[in-house]
Amino acid sequence: MHAAKPLPSYLINRYKSWKTTTYLENEAWFRRLATEGQHPRAMVIACCDSRVNAISLFGAEQGEFFMHRNIASLVPPFNPDGEYHGTSAAVEYAVTGLGVAHIIVLGHSNCGGVAGCHDMCAGTAPQLEEKTSFVGRWMDILRPGYDRVKDIDDEASRRRALEKEAVVISLENLTGFPFIAEALDSGLLSLHGLWTDIEEGGLEHYVPETGFQPV
Amino acid sequence: MHAAKPLPSYLINRYKSWKTTTYLENEAWFRRLATEGQHPRAMVIACCDSRVNAISLFGAEQGEFFMHRNIASLVPPFNPDGEYHGTSAAVEYAVTGLGVAHIIVLGHSNCGGVAGCHDMCAGTAPQLEEKTSFVGRWMDILRPGYDRVKDIDDEASRRRALEKEAVVISLENLTGFPFIAEALDSGLLSLHGLWTDIEEGGLEHYVPETGFQPV
Amino acid sequence: MHAAKPLPSYLINRYKSWKTTTYLENEAWFRRLATEGQHPRAMVIACCDSRVNAISLFGAEQGEFFMHRNIASLVPPFNPDGEYHGTSAAVEYAVTGLGVAHIIVLGHSNCGGVAGCHDMCAGTAPQLEEKTSFVGRWMDILRPGYDRVKDIDDEASRRRALEKEAVVISLENLTGFPFIAEALDSGLLSLHGLWTDIEEGGLEHYVPETGFQPV
Amino acid sequence: MHAAKPLPSYLINRYKSWKTTTYLENEAWFRRLATEGQHPRAMVIACCDSRVNAISLFGAEQGEFFMHRNIASLVPPFNPDGEYHGTSAAVEYAVTGLGVAHIIVLGHSNCGGVAGCHDMCAGTAPQLEEKTSFVGRWMDILRPGYDRVKDIDDEASRRRALEKEAVVISLENLTGFPFIAEALDSGLLSLHGLWTDIEEGGLEHYVPETGFQPV
């Protein structure tokens, strides 16, 4: 692998600062976590977006959140076809391997992935329709959501509604995984849908009867 | 979606604490990030593991790291077959959409996903061989790595070597994406491989000539 | 331009060292910054003083701080009279062109410019009163600050208080720029006043209710 | 000043890291610098641009460079009219107060200020012509430079040539200050013009007979 480079020194310096502060004051806990394994209470499925950090948002500590992050925090439908399914693998490991009690799907405002899906479905981003577009094909997961919001006249409202549909569709797809359905039935797991507003620092959770509500 | 529940109140309380502290003191920055978009310097591909938090490890702030997290921080080979590829979509968005300057692959000690791959390849975890095992199929990405380490006698050393092979194979697979090869050629992107030891708080980076070295 | 000379070789040597180290390990980032432009989070207004380096003080990286440095880190009052206003131009570019989220005014101990203002206002530096003294006329910006501190008996305390008034007056003048007032109102910008002690390496920030406090 | 806010905690943390590393290992030097004053060898006039850090470029230490930074590293003509002249004040202080041996004017590629001047002079940025545009009025200093490069056909070459003219004009204006002319005549001062390329990390210095040459 001729292309890999050493870490830039500013990151090395910052790591050394972490080592002498965060690591040092949590050393016993890190050692316990290493020898006894992780027992996270929740899995969080969040977006890759650099502006949204669920660990900070919820003041989570080492060992607390099993974090999967992908474009637009999407969960594809259950489809055990023997191919690579990174999200499904993460969900399977969290529920059947680690026994998390919660799966939290966290959507957010100003989501570039959702915006791409909107434009693709609206016909203004044909490049995302191409078979070779990984982003376009990934956002296909959200296409059923576009159908639910396409009649909203105001564009900003439509885009925001689609961001929230991404959360709802992911929750729906999660219930299609047999091991999740089983854990839900036995009361060992609960699902939660959230959407956060980067600009205002707002947070809404999904209530099936009434839709998204400020927490 | 009958299954979704409101957020547990301990998380609501912690969020409210974030809102009055972290959000408030960074409010202008959050508003700028929302209105002007993200410009992260690096993409980090890390594991979902609750014990490893790259943002904390490198003291990164909002807007700095575009974070993808999956089981074992793996990148599958380039394969634009029109199916869902969450990792490939995240990489494509980071490089072609956001123009990140670095992709950092961060592996770690005590990785449950890598342990599963080891046992599967060693023949002691037949359940992971099943077509319906999402974790098993995902860890297929690392199979070529097992071949490289299988002759290491000491089991603990062999497992650790496989954790590091996960980073190397991901780096190798990254170079197979045409848009990454192009960005590397033009000097607009650099790749970095890291492995961190949870117990000791150690950090090693991959140097092609000599393998992993402490930073 | 008969007067310009080539660079002394010790600086050439040091530059070549930078090229093979800092540039090389950040090459992709420099290339991205060049092709995609800067998006600094903060503007820092600091003194020219060779002993105070805000970039080092805050571990800032390339692209992070838009730096204006003048004598005593002063901002003159808003006065769009069509003349050259280097500081006002820098502030305008930072806020309206680059959209920074923070303007940080950094004063410091042992400030020669502030000392000159003190002596001029105290009547012991008549040469600074002359129309042709650029330093004297520049320090006129701080005259209203002298009135606020002149009754402090102890001279060292009075000088130090004047250094901090330089920060406060600059903050006051900043709020007189319409585009800054507007950005403050919309929450897109925040102002911060700091004062650092060269000797002790101390840092204080300005809290309107209580004055300067150690961070 | 109701608007000032405390420093965001990430900057406080980074400052604390500086205090326990850079300050601590240079403590005696900082104390000397505070009690005995600064004696910088050179004044550097550089751009505010966040991507160009002369202190890093030349590996300069505390006390070494008296740094003035403004938009496009411009020096206006000598004009002692009793108004605020931040750049002239900085130059006066450096030469007559501190006795620096060098004034280095550092221009750079991808300069937003120079680009604005280019567009203003070319007639495509009328908003910069307005009296109330601080950036436009500041860039008036460079107008004579545009006349020298306007016949260059290739736009990219013309913009680059204008960036270098900004350095030359600043050097020319510097020689119009009587105290600089005097220091040059007596051999106590030398002037240097530099231009750095952000993308390539290149550095050129100005040689009057031949123009800019790679160092």
Side-chain angles (χ1 to χ4, degrees):
Chain A
M1 237 302 297
H2 67 292
K5 287 196 178 174
L7 203 58
S9 48
Y10 85 102
L11 291 176
I12 294 178
N13 291 339
R14 291 217 212 139
Y15 155 71
K16 288 181 176 170
S17 171
W18 172 87
K19 183 75 185 284
T20 55
T21 54
T22 304
Y23 175 75
L24 207 64
E25 68 181 22
N26 296 286
E27 183 177 352
W29 181 229
F30 276 115
R31 290 188 184 280
R32 285 280 179 194
L33 284 171
T35 56
E36 298 177 9
Q38 60 177 329
H39 298 90
R41 175 165 173 177
M43 176 186 197
V44 177
I45 300 174
C47 185
C48 298
D49 195 298
S50 65
R51 299 167 294 182
V52 178
N53 179 359
I55 293 172
S56 168
L57 198 65
F58 294 115
E61 285 299 304
Q62 312 88 355
E64 214 174 331
F65 283 171
F66 186 78
M67 292 287 312
H68 176 55
R69 296 180 67 172
N70 64 34
I71 300 280
S73 49
L74 291 176
V75 177
F78 179 70
N79 180 25
D81 60 2
E83 301 294 326
Y84 305 137
H85 293 287
T87 297
S88 302
V91 170
E92 180 184 274
Y93 191 81
V95 175
T96 68
L98 298 171
V100 298
H102 309 271
I103 299 179
I104 298 168
V105 179
L106 174 64
H108 68 93
S109 68
N110 312 90
C111 183
V114 171
C117 179
H118 176 279
D119 296 345
M120 175 175 72
C121 295
T124 62
Q127 74 283 6
L128 289 172
E129 298 278 9
E130 288 175 28
K131 186 182 173 187
T132 54
S133 167
F134 288 116
V135 172
R137 300 296 58 69
W138 178 250
M139 296 311 303
D140 282 342
I141 299 170
L142 184 53
R143 277 186 189 271
Y146 184 76
D147 291 335
R148 299 181 197 167
V149 305
K150 69 182 175 199
D151 293 333
I152 299 174
D153 272 349
D154 177 59
E155 184 178 325
S157 302
R158 193 166 63 242
R159 289 176 180 276
R160 181 149 292 193
L162 189 58
E163 287 169 353
K164 295 179 180 177
E165 279 304 322
V167 175
V168 175
I169 281 180
S170 290
L171 292 171
E172 289 170 353
N173 286 341
L174 281 170
T175 58
F177 286 71
F179 52 84
I180 288 183
E182 192 180 331
L184 288 172
D185 282 348
S186 61
L188 288 169
L189 177 68
S190 61
L191 304 183
H192 310 271
L194 299 176
W195 176 88
T196 181
D197 179 329
I198 292 173
E199 189 166 4
E200 303 290 342
L203 184 67
E204 302 183 8
H205 52 180
Y206 178 63
V207 180
E209 296 74 24
T210 55
F212 282 85
Q213 304 292 334
V215 298
Chain B
M1 237 301 298
H2 67 289
K5 290 195 177 169
L7 203 58
S9 50
Y10 85 101
L11 290 177
I12 294 179
N13 291 339
R14 289 216 214 140
Y15 155 71
K16 286 182 177 169
S17 168
W18 172 87
K19 182 74 185 284
T20 56
T21 55
T22 303
Y23 175 76
L24 206 63
E25 71 178 22
N26 295 287
E27 180 179 352
W29 181 230
F30 277 114
R31 290 186 184 279
R32 288 286 181 186
L33 283 171
T35 56
E36 297 175 15
Q38 60 178 328
H39 298 91
R41 175 166 176 173
M43 175 186 199
V44 177
I45 300 173
C47 186
C48 298
D49 195 297
S50 65
R51 299 167 292 181
V52 178
N53 180 358
I55 293 172
S56 167
L57 199 65
F58 294 115
E61 284 302 301
Q62 312 90 355
E64 210 172 331
F65 284 171
F66 186 77
M67 292 287 311
H68 176 55
R69 295 180 67 173
N70 64 35
I71 300 280
S73 51
L74 291 176
V75 177
F78 178 71
N79 180 24
D81 60 1
E83 302 294 326
Y84 304 139
H85 293 288
T87 297
S88 302
V91 169
E92 181 184 274
Y93 190 80
V95 175
T96 67
L98 297 172
V100 298
H102 309 271
I103 298 179
I104 297 168
V105 179
L106 174 64
H108 68 93
S109 68
N110 313 91
C111 183
V114 171
C117 180
H118 176 278
D119 297 345
M120 174 175 75
C121 294
T124 62
Q127 74 284 6
L128 288 172
E129 297 279 10
E130 288 176 26
K131 186 181 174 188
T132 54
S133 167
F134 288 118
V135 172
R137 299 296 60 69
W138 179 249
M139 295 310 303
D140 282 343
I141 298 169
L142 184 53
R143 277 184 191 272
Y146 183 76
D147 291 335
R148 300 182 197 167
V149 306
K150 67 183 176 197
D151 294 333
I152 299 174
D153 273 347
D154 176 59
E155 184 178 325
S157 302
R158 193 167 61 243
R159 289 178 180 276
R160 181 148 292 193
L162 189 57
E163 287 169 353
K164 295 179 181 178
E165 278 305 321
V167 174
V168 175
I169 281 180
S170 291
L171 291 171
E172 289 170 352
N173 286 342
L174 281 170
T175 57
F177 287 71
F179 52 82
I180 288 182
E182 193 181 328
L184 288 171
D185 281 349
S186 61
L188 288 167
L189 178 69
S190 59
L191 304 182
H192 310 271
L194 300 177
W195 176 88
T196 181
D197 179 329
I198 293 172
E199 189 166 2
E200 304 290 342
L203 185 67
E204 301 184 7
H205 52 178
Y206 178 63
V207 180
E209 296 75 22
T210 55
F212 283 84
Q213 305 290 335
V215 298
Chain C
M1 240 303 300
H2 66 289
K5 289 196 177 169
L7 203 57
S9 51
Y10 84 102
L11 290 177
I12 294 178
N13 291 339
R14 291 216 213 139
Y15 155 71
K16 287 182 176 168
S17 167
W18 171 87
K19 183 76 185 283
T20 56
T21 55
T22 303
Y23 175 76
L24 206 64
E25 71 178 23
N26 295 287
E27 181 178 352
W29 181 229
F30 277 115
R31 290 187 185 279
R32 287 286 182 188
L33 283 172
T35 55
E36 297 175 16
Q38 59 178 329
H39 298 91
R41 175 167 176 173
M43 175 187 199
V44 177
I45 300 174
C47 186
C48 299
D49 195 298
S50 64
R51 299 167 293 182
V52 178
N53 180 357
I55 293 171
S56 168
L57 198 65
F58 294 115
E61 283 302 301
Q62 312 90 355
E64 209 171 334
F65 283 170
F66 186 77
M67 292 288 311
H68 176 54
R69 295 180 68 172
N70 63 34
I71 301 280
S73 52
L74 291 176
V75 177
F78 177 70
N79 179 25
D81 60 2
E83 302 294 325
Y84 304 138
H85 293 287
T87 298
S88 302
V91 169
E92 182 183 274
Y93 191 80
V95 175
T96 68
L98 298 172
V100 297
H102 308 271
I103 298 180
I104 297 169
V105 179
L106 174 64
H108 68 94
S109 69
N110 313 93
C111 182
V114 171
C117 179
H118 176 278
D119 296 347
M120 174 175 74
C121 294
T124 63
Q127 74 285 5
L128 289 172
E129 297 279 10
E130 287 175 28
K131 187 181 174 186
T132 53
S133 168
F134 289 117
V135 172
R137 300 296 60 69
W138 179 249
M139 296 311 302
D140 282 343
I141 299 170
L142 184 53
R143 277 184 188 270
Y146 183 75
D147 292 335
R148 299 182 197 167
V149 306
K150 68 182 175 197
D151 294 333
I152 299 174
D153 273 349
D154 176 59
E155 184 177 325
S157 303
R158 193 167 60 241
R159 289 177 181 276
R160 182 149 291 194
L162 189 56
E163 287 169 353
K164 295 179 180 177
E165 279 305 320
V167 175
V168 175
I169 281 180
S170 291
L171 292 170
E172 288 170 353
N173 285 342
L174 282 169
T175 57
F177 286 71
F179 52 83
I180 288 183
E182 193 181 329
L184 288 172
D185 281 349
S186 61
L188 288 167
L189 178 68
S190 59
L191 304 183
H192 310 271
L194 299 177
W195 177 87
T196 181
D197 180 329
I198 293 172
E199 190 166 1
E200 304 290 341
L203 184 66
E204 302 184 7
H205 53 178
Y206 178 64
V207 181
E209 295 75 21
T210 54
F212 282 83
Q213 305 290 336
V215 299
Chain D
M1 237 304 298
H2 68 290
K5 288 196 177 173
L7 203 59
S9 49
Y10 85 101
L11 290 177
I12 294 179
N13 292 339
R14 292 218 213 137
Y15 155 71
K16 288 180 177 169
S17 170
W18 171 87
K19 182 75 185 284
T20 56
T21 54
T22 304
Y23 175 75
L24 207 64
E25 69 181 21
N26 296 286
E27 184 178 351
W29 182 229
F30 276 115
R31 291 189 183 278
R32 286 281 179 192
L33 284 171
T35 56
E36 299 178 8
Q38 59 177 330
H39 297 91
R41 175 166 175 177
M43 175 187 198
V44 177
I45 300 173
C47 186
C48 299
D49 195 297
S50 65
R51 299 167 292 183
V52 177
N53 180 358
I55 293 172
S56 167
L57 198 65
F58 294 114
E61 285 299 303
Q62 311 89 356
E64 212 174 332
F65 283 172
F66 185 78
M67 292 286 312
H68 176 55
R69 295 180 67 172
N70 64 35
I71 300 279
S73 50
L74 290 176
V75 178
F78 178 70
N79 180 23
D81 60 2
E83 301 294 325
Y84 305 138
H85 293 288
T87 298
S88 302
V91 169
E92 181 184 273
Y93 190 82
V95 175
T96 69
L98 298 172
V100 298
H102 308 271
I103 299 179
I104 298 168
V105 179
L106 173 64
H108 68 94
S109 68
N110 311 91
C111 183
V114 171
C117 179
H118 177 278
D119 296 346
M120 175 174 74
C121 294
T124 62
Q127 73 284 6
L128 288 173
E129 297 279 8
E130 288 175 27
K131 187 182 172 186
T132 54
S133 167
F134 289 116
V135 172
R137 300 295 60 70
W138 178 249
M139 296 310 302
D140 281 344
I141 299 170
L142 184 53
R143 277 186 190 271
Y146 183 76
D147 290 335
R148 301 183 196 164
V149 305
K150 69 184 175 195
D151 293 334
I152 299 174
D153 272 348
D154 177 58
E155 184 178 326
S157 303
R158 194 167 61 242
R159 291 176 177 276
R160 182 148 292 194
L162 189 57
E163 288 169 352
K164 295 180 179 176
E165 279 304 322
V167 175
V168 175
I169 281 181
S170 291
L171 291 171
E172 290 170 352
N173 286 342
L174 281 171
T175 57
F177 286 71
F179 53 83
I180 289 182
E182 193 181 327
L184 288 171
D185 281 348
S186 61
L188 289 169
L189 177 69
S190 60
L191 303 183
H192 310 271
L194 300 176
W195 177 88
T196 181
D197 179 329
I198 293 172
E199 189 165 3
E200 303 290 343
L203 184 67
E204 301 184 8
H205 52 180
Y206 178 64
V207 181
E209 297 73 23
T210 54
F212 283 84
Q213 305 291 334
V215 298

